[in-house]
Amino acid sequence: MAILYLLSFFLFLYGVGYTSKKIVQPSLTEWLITSFILFVGSIIPTGFVLSALDLTASTPAWILGNFITLALHFTIWTRLLPKQTGFSVRAVIGNRINTFKLWTRELSPYLKLIFLAMFGTLAIIGITNLILVLFTVPNEWDSMTGHLNRAVRYIQRGTMEHFGGTNWNMDTYPKSVTTIQIYSYLITGKVENAFKLIHHLSYWMTLVAVFGIAQRIGRNLSASFFCALAYGMFLDFLMQAVTTETDIVLTAYLSCLLYFLFTFYNSRDNRYLYLAGMTFGIVFGHKITFALLLPSVFVIMVYAVFISPNFKAFFDRFFRLAIAIFLAVLIYTLPTGYIRNIQVFGHPIGPPTALKHQSIERFGTPANLLKQGTRNVLRYGYDFFNLDGIRNAQWGYDLNTQIRKPIVVLEDKLHMRLDEETVYAIVPFTFQRRFDFYNANPYWGVFGFALIIPLIFLVFIRVFWSRVHWFLALAFIFNFITVSFSAVYDPFKGRYFIESGLFGVLFLLLLFSNHRLSIIKPRRKVWKGYVLMIVLLGCTSALMSVFLNIRCLPFGVYGHESALKMERIAFQTFARPDVTKAYERYDSLVPKDATVALATINDDFEYPLYGAKLTRKLISINPFEKGLQPIPKDADYLFYARSVINDTTKIKALPTDLRLGSDTTMKHLIVKGEDYYLRKLK
């Protein structure tokens, strides 16, 4: 059956590509981007419908449902758009290959050196990341507690309805990306690493979209490649390509949305308004943090759509885009869980406890919000100014310390006390973040603080002038402010800035188009040498981020094993080595098809408890904020944290319960694991 499933998957991909040809102009970039949006745009609503029919776990239902949804797309788009002459994708690819060959021959020696370094780096990290995706299981914190944990639970239950998980994300997080993960897992014959498909695909699709946006703005092939390659080395974005983190998917959707908006600006073709509206609904249904990007997206809409020659043209554009967004929100946003969250928790995001953990509510008064938000702008600004990636090695750390000394001294002289106020933070700000934070969640690296952010500032104050870049600068500033003011300081917020990187990376176009900044003009040896140095440092930081990422090491280093050689449980509990032994013992004692009642806490890793083939059935009996529930009659085992089950709870700890062996003596962990016990019930 697995072969038939894969054949149906490839047939579905062919159908997506064929439908995309009926929508787009003869452009390889545009065909790929539209195919991506149709791919996710078919799977997501199918998942919602199958959930309502209790068919979430049915692979044949997924196959049939996706083809039906794709057929609806084909019907709607072919009727909505004027008939156009077809084109051959193979011919377009051949044409682009010839164009690429001609482009490489015409490059100057200086640009050949730059692009050789950038393409070579991308090839190395691309191959390495693909190997890691194919041969390592997921092990990210949020996936172990929430994202993948609930994906398996939805499959076991046959529906994506609320069920009361231990971690609040299992019930409240938008479900659109989960539909894609479930489909990918089932259609590949239950290959676990298929959960990463949408995330790894998002990495490459974002680079395609950045290239396309740069082409629409700059119409310069060298500049477009430079932007796409540079963005491929933005560090947190690069590192999420091997994970099941959700920010990289949000970035891919946003990049497609921006592409359609800028393409409308160039063509004035209404099809791009419809595609932009559809993408808007998809991205808003993916993750609520898209709300932080709404001011920035509106700025781009003003530039690309709403500035019109007359009111009639403005109203026509506004009406078409608004209708497209309205329909897409109905299909892709509202069913993803926001309405259900309101019904269950009284808020579209989730329960009050979760909101207070990381939201503006923790700031208290508006005056304190203004104060702390402003301080966060400075804190995140300091976090940007780091040789991320390079400082994973000791020599890079020492170099990073030296180049940051002036700005650290400046903060001290101005008495800003950024590191002294610690109340309004998830983890307090420090000038040298701990290794765990900057290794796992770096920012943009040297491309950001040494090149892009200065350009953003100089364009915004009009030292260098470009109309489109001024709007992009405003979009970046809005996003930086919304992130800073939306919640208390969090050292892991580097992941939120990969979206704003889409606005920032386009400033590299100025290196090819602005006469005062151009690196293609003769002479200017100092400026060209500086840009080359930044490129080489950027390539180095990208390589070091991948090869020294202790969460997923291609090769053993720092006393850690290669991710390709680590045992499953040890790899998945990497962030919590204090519980590795307990989980390994659990895995050796509990049969692969057992039903296990879980009396665990919100932060506990539950995903490893399903087993290597994800065959154990897990039942949460300590759901978030609902209190301890009775042990189900069909449970074979009880797995519990001692803090949940003790002498004061409804379920008493028994002397015969087996202590699994958590190491409670470990220090310096971000969050400690619990002391776990196992009870055989049958």
Side-chain angles (χ1 to χ4, degrees), residues 39 86 149 169 191 194 209 238 336 346 372 381 417 446 477 572 588 590 651:
F39 175 76
N149 190 14
N169 272 330
V191 174
L238 165 64
T336 200
Q372 300 303 330
R417 300 177 62 247
V446 66
I477 291 168
Q572 292 191 323
S588 68
V590 179
I651 303 172

Side-chain angles (χ1 to χ4, degrees), residues 519-530:
I519 60 173
I520 58 177
K521 288 190 174 182
R523 296 184 292 275
R524 299 186 174 181
K525 293 182 179 179
V526 174
W527 174 237
K528 288 183 177 180
Y530 177 77

Side-chain angles (χ1 to χ4, degrees), residues 114-162:
I114 283 180
F115 283 112
L116 180 63
M118 297 180 82
F119 273 113
T121 300
L122 185 67
I124 293 170
I125 60 182
I127 293 170
T128 303
N129 278 347
L130 180 61
I131 292 171
L132 291 173
V133 167
L134 294 175
F135 299 107
T136 65
V137 295
N139 74 335
E140 301 78 42
W141 188 294
D142 288 344
S143 295
M144 298 299 99
T145 59
H147 300 323
L148 292 187
N149 190 14
R150 72 172 183 163
V152 180
R153 202 72 66 89
Y154 289 156
I155 294 170
Q156 290 182 350
R157 294 170 55 84
T159 178
M160 295 192 296
E161 277 296 308
H162 276 55

Side-chain angles (χ1 to χ4, degrees), residues 124-133 135-136 239 242 392 439 542-558 560-566 571:
I124 293 170
I125 60 182
I127 293 170
T128 303
N129 278 347
L130 180 61
I131 292 171
L132 291 173
V133 167
F135 299 107
T136 65
M239 292 175 67
V242 299
N392 285 340
N439 181 266
L543 291 168
M544 293 178 69
S545 288
V546 171
F547 287 96
L548 297 179
N549 172 19
I550 61 170
R551 186 173 64 183
C552 195
L553 286 168
F555 303 101
V557 71
Y558 295 146
H560 298 293
E561 270 189 283
S562 164
L564 300 169
K565 295 181 179 179
M566 287 184 72
F571 182 67

